[in-house]
């Protein structure tokens, strides 16, 4: 390839890189979409595809979501430590269950269950120049809920790939079940909240706290800016689940799973 002289070399390099990145995003999103349509799961990323940054992963996420169609009805957000940069993935209406309590057969290949705290926003948070403050985020929350997320993957094995590869795969989202609302939530302290998870009547987790991200409100503040960049902001009514308080436990189809947070109540589902 012949590059023009001077500053044109940089411009041409960046243009070529942009074309390559776009092609790689399309290729990887297409691979995930084929698995969702019934193709065999991926043992690894396709040849020629690499996810080298969170920005790459988010580009693949949103190309996949665009191709799937439907409305972004919620988000999952989390962080590996209380000080780490959060990460997120959008959730479409098709995998968000506000009242149903039975996982549709065949929806998920793997069924990893996690007890989580979810927040519903009572008003939209559109893009704006100034970042949203913690006070503004808290003021926009209409209710808090016990939630159970189902972890799934378009790879052969959950957790088998580098973290960025799983982030590109919708952060391993399968489905999200949301319990009844608690509107008097302002005194809730998630780090001090007792959580109990049972599978087929057996208690598999019973402790206080447990979310690696620490205070979930911090991740919601970050998400407001992230959603503004990638999806036009947080919509009114959006549900945001904020990370596992129990770790991930894989169950067989038909398992009965219950999650209880001391001040939010119990949600029971059939997988």
């Amino acid at each position: 390839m012949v590059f023009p002289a001077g500053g044109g070399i940089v411009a041409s390099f960046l243009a070529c890189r942009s074309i390559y990145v776009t092609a790689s995003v399309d290729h990887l999103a297409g691979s995930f979409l084929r698995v969702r349509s019934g193709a065999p799961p991926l043992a690894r990323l396709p040849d020629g595809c690499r996810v080298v940054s969170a920005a790459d992963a988010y580009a693949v996420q949103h190309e996949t979501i665009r191709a799937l169609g439907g409305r972004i009805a919620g988000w999952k957000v989390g962080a590996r430590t209380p000080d780490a940069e959060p990460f997120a993935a959008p959730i479409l209406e098709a995998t968000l269950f506000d009242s149903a309590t039975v996982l549709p057969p065949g929806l998920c290949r793997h069924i990893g269950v996690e007890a989580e705290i979810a927040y519903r926003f009572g008003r939209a948070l559109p893009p704006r120049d100034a970042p949203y403050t913690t006070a503004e985020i808290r003021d926009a929350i209409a209710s808090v809920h016990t939630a159970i997320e189902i972890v799934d993957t378009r790879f052969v094995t959950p957790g088998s790939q580098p973290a960025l590869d799983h982030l590109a795969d919708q952060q391993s989202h399968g489905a999200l079940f949301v319990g009844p609302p608690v509107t008097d939530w302002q005194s809730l302290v998630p780090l001090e909240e007792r959580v109990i998870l049972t599978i087929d009547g057996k208690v598999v987790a019973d402790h206080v706290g447990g979310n690696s991200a620490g205070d979930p409100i911090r991740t919601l503040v970050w998400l407001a800016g992230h959603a503004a960049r990638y999806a036009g902001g947080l919509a009114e009514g959006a549900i945001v689940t904020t990370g596992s308080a129990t770790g991930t436990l894989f169950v067989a189809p038909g398992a009965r799973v219950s999650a209880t947070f001391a001040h939010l109540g119990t949600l029971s589902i059939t997988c």
Side-chain angles (χ1 to χ4, degrees):
M1 180 176 290
V2 178
F3 292 104
I9 294 176
V10 174
S12 295
F13 171 79
L14 292 175
C16 290
R17 183 181 183 279
S18 177
I19 292 169
Y20 171 79
V21 169
T22 299
S24 183
V25 166
D26 291 344
H27 187 190
L28 185 47
S31 297
F32 288 144
L33 289 164
R34 285 189 289 275
V35 175
R36 289 173 181 269
S37 296
L42 303 173
R44 60 184 182 279
L45 292 186
D47 292 343
C49 290
R50 293 180 62 206
V51 182
V52 300
S53 68
D56 288 350
Y58 294 134
V60 174
Q61 277 185 14
H62 286 275
E63 177 57 24
T64 305
I65 291 294
R66 183 199 63 76
L68 287 171
R71 182 178 67 89
I72 293 176
W75 295 79
K76 57 179 296 183
V77 65
R80 289 177 179 83
T81 71
D83 299 318
E85 173 84 0
F87 46 80
I91 297 173
L92 292 174
E93 285 179 304
T95 59
L96 178 59
F97 300 93
D98 252 340
S99 55
T101 57
V102 177
L103 181 67
L107 181 63
C108 299
R109 291 179 53 254
H110 300 280
I111 306 174
V113 296
E114 300 179 344
E116 307 197 6
I117 295 176
Y119 296 76
R120 187 185 300 276
F121 282 85
R123 60 180 177 85
L125 297 175
R128 70 180 195 185
D129 292 337
Y132 285 96
T133 66
T134 298
E136 288 174 315
I137 294 300
R138 291 181 65 90
D139 185 61
I141 294 168
S143 55
V144 185
H145 310 247
T146 295
I148 298 174
E149 187 184 15
I150 306 298
V151 171
D152 195 12
T153 180
R154 271 47 65 179
F155 292 102
V156 171
T157 305
S160 61
Q161 306 301 306
L164 287 174
D165 295 1
H166 287 294
L167 181 61
D169 180 28
Q170 208 182 352
Q171 190 55 33
S172 299
H173 172 70
L176 180 67
F177 290 85
V178 180
V182 172
T183 55
D184 183 19
W185 63 270
Q186 287 75 9
S187 61
L188 179 73
V189 182
L191 295 178
E192 300 176 1
E193 191 74 359
R194 182 183 180 190
V195 56
I196 302 172
L197 182 68
T198 67
I199 298 174
D200 291 330
K202 179 183 178 181
V203 175
V204 294
D206 183 350
H207 55 247
V208 172
N211 189 333
S212 65
D215 181 6
I217 298 295
R218 176 184 79 92
T219 64
L220 297 179
V221 174
W222 176 89
L223 180 64
H226 176 83
R229 288 191 297 276
Y230 286 94
L234 287 171
E236 179 181 352
I239 284 279
V240 180
T241 191
T242 54
S244 178
T246 57
T248 307
L249 293 99
F250 287 88
V251 303
R256 184 68 172 169
V257 178
S258 293
T260 302
F261 286 94
H263 294 93
L264 301 177
T266 298
L267 170 63
S268 297
I269 68 170
T270 300
C271 297

